[in-house]
Amino acid sequence: MKKRYHSYLKFLIRSGIFISLLFNILNLSAQEKCAVPKILEEREKKYPELSTQKFENWIAEKQKLKNTTSQRNQKVLVQIPVVFHIIHNGEPVGIGGNLLKSRIDRQLEVLNEDFNRLNEDASETLEEFQDLAASLEIEFIYAKQSPDGTETDGIVRIPGSQSSYSYQDRGILSAESYWPAEEYLNIWVTDLAGGSLGWAEFPVSNLAGLDAASNNRLIDGVSLDYVYFGDNPESPSFESKGRTATHEMGHFLGLRHIWGDGGCTVDDFCADTPSASGSSTGCNITKTSCESLDMVQNFMDYTNDACMNLFTQDQKSRVRTVIENSPRRKSLTESKGLEEPPVFNRDLGLTEINSQFTGSCSGNFSPQITIKNQGLFMIKEYSIDLYVNELLTETLEFTDTLESGDEKVVYFPLLNFIETAEYSISYSLNLEGAFEDDRLENNLKTEYYQKLQEGNLPYKKKFQNNFDSWFIRNADQEETWQQFNDAIGVPFYENRQNFGQKEEIISPIFDFTTIDVPELSFVFAQVADSIPNRVSIYASYDCGRTFNDLIFSNNITDLSTAYQVDSIFTPQFRLDWDTVKIDLNRLRDQESVCFNIVAENRLGNNFYISEFNVEESTKKNKEIDVLNWKNINPLFCDEELEGILTVKNIGRENISNYKLEILDNGKLIKEYIINDEVIVSGQNSEVDIIIPQPQRENGEFEIRAIINNEEEEIINNIYVPFQINCLEELPPLRLILKNGNSDNWFEFNPDKDAGWTYSSNNFAVNSNSSYITKESSEDWLLSPLMDVSNTNYLGLIFDLSYRKALRQSEKFEVYISNDNGKNFNTLIYSKSGDSLATSYGNDITDHLTWRNEFIDLSPYVNRDKIRLAFKVTHDNGQNIYLKNISFFVGQSPPPPFPNVRKSIVIYPNPAKNDVNLHLNLDVAEEGFFQILDMKGNVILEFKEPKILNQFISFDVSQLAEGMYILRLRTNRFSATERFMIQK
């Protein structure tokens, strides 16, 4: 090989299972077209047994064997059956992505021209490369028969479930329409997102131990953007001549980019393609890199379609080796799709039934089936048997003539089902007289009828031990909805081969005219997979015959509740579950409504539902709520209270007038009439308020938001406790938590939920986020008022622990009141979710993970007074824990206190120039310090008005060598420590 094989290790990290052209079509020349590096990295992480190294070793061995047996130059034309899946957005044929057949025909022609060197521009190949150009001897043809053996034109047109698809959606795209990859080359043509032109699944070897390759069979094929499909002079950036398909087909058959996705030292494993430093764009045929002329005309470069015109001999050898040996490549050349569908002399068959499942309210069902003479000879005598739950119910005999190709709809007498249940209805077709049917596999069809039970509203269903009146629709007869402890679910984890499998479960029928404002809610659990299972809920208004109204999809609302696991997920904790609520107000006049929950397999983990409820919505047409207050400090001295209230329109309609009332001990002391703004439903608004100075030392304000809704007065409120609290403290200061005592700190919750509480196990205070379900409820913890007028530097340190659940996200903020404690007007710390987390998980653990936080408060000193507020905003997730909350005199956090059982530590010892004194007392008080020599002479003494947790450094460079004594005395504590000075 001309390129060093060890450079392949670099390529290992830079390639992918899907070779994908991903680039911005508005700036084509400036961006990479392929998602190779990222995707191969994902592939090898997920399937180490499918490593590129193993594949290349395998293909090298196969090529060596092929060359030994003198097969390299043997001309053997192989055919591959192609099915084009045209995934459009509902447009008529010829509009948008629903391409004309002539455009598809042309693309097929381009593939055959390019792969057989019949392209008109073959003569433009540079002279240096003419002798290297090769015909790959491959013919792509439309599949001649479908998987069920019927005739096909090789084109399937399907309206997609998404308007566009990225390469991360490749599983979703393939599930829209798929034929078995062992027999058919699937080509999906649609609107690709993110600037992608296309991508392809790379082949795998059939080495022992690579069985996991079968995981990819349901997405095996080529995906192309319809704009760059076939001839399209109007395609952006360059004129499409169908070479995107040629490029991606090369990847599908094992070819890599000619620059090896790495540069001069990285190999594409074809010796006759010159090394290149990178991809090429446009059509610079004189481009050189790696000390040689680049083969910019190769189909596996990134040049414009009009520039591409050749594959090489070594590329041919590689492709032919793949076709002759690789699973799902070799089988294509032997596919039944290459053959005309079988034709029999006498073949009377049943066509597909209209719907495999049919629902009804009345119990009446009219069986009908279509028969077709699919043979060459006419048919004169035949009969059809009707079975209900495998019991023969009716036989119809016919003697009319059906010519070849004739169809006939057969109607059976009306069936009436009394019991609420599911019934199987089977049709069996028989030839009568002297002749037998030459093909029997199309003579039996089965459908299912479900008489649904009526449910009363409000409806609450807990799936604790049964399905009751719910019906399962198991179309594929594979694993489906089943009971799991106190929930129902689908065991998708055990069914990772059945990509796209849809499992349905049907609710009872409800009369929505009996409820004013209906709301649906369901409780669910699912881990966060890279491609989550698709969950949709459809409504039917004809007793389950059709479900056409999509009322919920997790394409909009993520249904992940727990972190990803590498085993079967089973919900164990409260936070593994969550609830989705769906406003069904538009269904309020429907007399017959039932729901179909459809869970679609995306090769993820199990999905669970524990509750399904349809009730009267608590949401009013007009309602306003008081969310929180800002700036107000309920600990006051001699002033009135000023602040901002945040209110939210939680009703269905926009509101333009409401009022706020402030009550003290039930007495109205202030009122605000708001009628000068419109608050849109779901939006917030802020109101400046002033509360007169209370006449009592402590109490509680009630703040009400009031609005009239259909002649009903709707009131929501919060509570703000107040207290005359003018006691000042000097820093340093610590929140003492022994025995739950919080000293002069003040805590409250405006919604009167559980606020900060003392956790004796952790010697910490914790929020009660796990117990508080109200949206945006808050816990407040206020520090004492501190006199910082003579403080030059001040810092705040605290230890924090927060275990973040997947779906919930608490917020923690610290505010400072720097106007002598009047208002909390400055936010100095704010973290939430991942930035706040010290660990992750839905479980509750006794082993908390702590992080030390530091806030420099020095910008707020040298003024009279400050006060701090610690606020948690709840999301009903995990609790937030705080401990070691300390204000210390200093501009940077002190070093951690040594792990000793002392309240005072001196180091270094012996010292040379400086001695550090580290204090860690339980109670802050006045301290007296002395340094004495060994004769008891006082060398230095000083007094600190308040000591607690200081870190003090002494300059001892002027002291002589020897032993000294440090003595500390407070009103309740004394300590003596020796230290040595050694020059």
Side-chain angles (χ1 to χ4, degrees), residues 741-754:
N741 177 25
S742 62
D743 279 358
N744 198 27
W745 294 67
F746 187 80
E747 68 86 18
F748 70 98
N749 180 291
D751 295 296
K752 289 192 172 182
D753 285 320

Side-chain angles (χ1 to χ4, degrees), residues 85 101 193 236 454 589 630 657 690 730 751 759 795 865 881:
H85 304 275
K101 187 176 185 301
E454 293 186 4
D589 296 325
K630 295 167 57 177
N657 59 80
I690 298 176
L730 292 173
D751 295 296
S759 173
K865 309 176 190 70
Y881 292 82

Side-chain angles (χ1 to χ4, degrees), residues 246-435:
T246 304
H247 179 103
E248 296 304 337
M249 196 62 70
H251 288 314
F252 178 81
L253 295 173
L255 296 183
R256 303 189 182 277
H257 293 138
I258 62 167
W259 69 98
D261 293 295
C264 295
T265 60
V266 181
D267 209 339
D268 70 341
F269 302 96
C270 292
D272 57 3
T273 57
S275 298
S277 61
S279 63
S280 302
T281 57
C283 192
N284 180 9
I285 59 177
T286 64
K287 179 190 174 189
T288 61
S289 66
C290 307
E291 300 181 354
S292 62
L293 182 66
D294 287 3
M295 190 182 283
V296 298
Q297 294 174 312
N298 195 285
F299 290 119
M300 301 314 295
D301 207 338
Y302 277 176
T303 44
N304 293 348
D305 279 18
C307 191
M308 297 176 171
N309 57 46
L310 85 151
F311 288 114
T312 69
Q313 294 289 345
D314 281 348
Q315 285 177 324
K316 173 182 179 178
S317 175
R318 184 179 176 90
V319 165
R320 296 301 297 236
T321 301
V322 166
I323 286 178
E324 293 164 12
N325 296 278
S326 180
R328 296 198 305 276
R329 300 299 181 267
K330 181 180 180 180
S331 61
L332 291 175
T333 66
E334 304 164 350
S335 166
K336 70 176 184 179
L338 297 169
E339 305 169 0
E340 296 290 344
V343 178
F344 301 93
N345 290 333
R346 294 177 178 83
D347 181 14
L348 192 62
L350 300 172
T351 64
E352 290 295 329
I353 54 180
N354 291 329
S355 176
Q356 187 174 0
F357 291 88
T358 304
S360 174
C361 298
S362 64
N364 294 329
F365 178 69
S366 299
Q368 67 180 66
I369 191 75
T370 301
I371 62 176
K372 181 178 181 180
N373 183 357
Q374 299 174 1
L376 298 176
F377 295 171
M378 68 176 182
I379 302 294
K380 294 189 64 175
E381 296 181 68
Y382 55 96
S383 65
I384 304 180
D385 296 327
L386 177 69
Y387 293 84
V388 176
N389 292 343
E390 300 182 355
L391 296 177
L392 181 61
T393 303
E394 188 84 27
T395 298
L396 299 180
E397 297 181 348
F398 302 91
T399 57
D400 55 323
T401 299
L402 289 179
E403 298 290 346
S404 178
D406 284 353
E407 288 186 347
K408 177 178 181 177
V409 180
V410 175
Y411 300 92
F412 284 87
L414 180 71
L415 298 176
N416 182 260
F417 299 107
I418 300 175
E419 299 293 332
T420 300
E422 180 179 272
Y423 301 88
S424 66
I425 300 161
S426 300
Y427 307 89
S428 178
L429 180 61
N430 310 288
L431 280 188
E432 303 294 343
F435 301 105

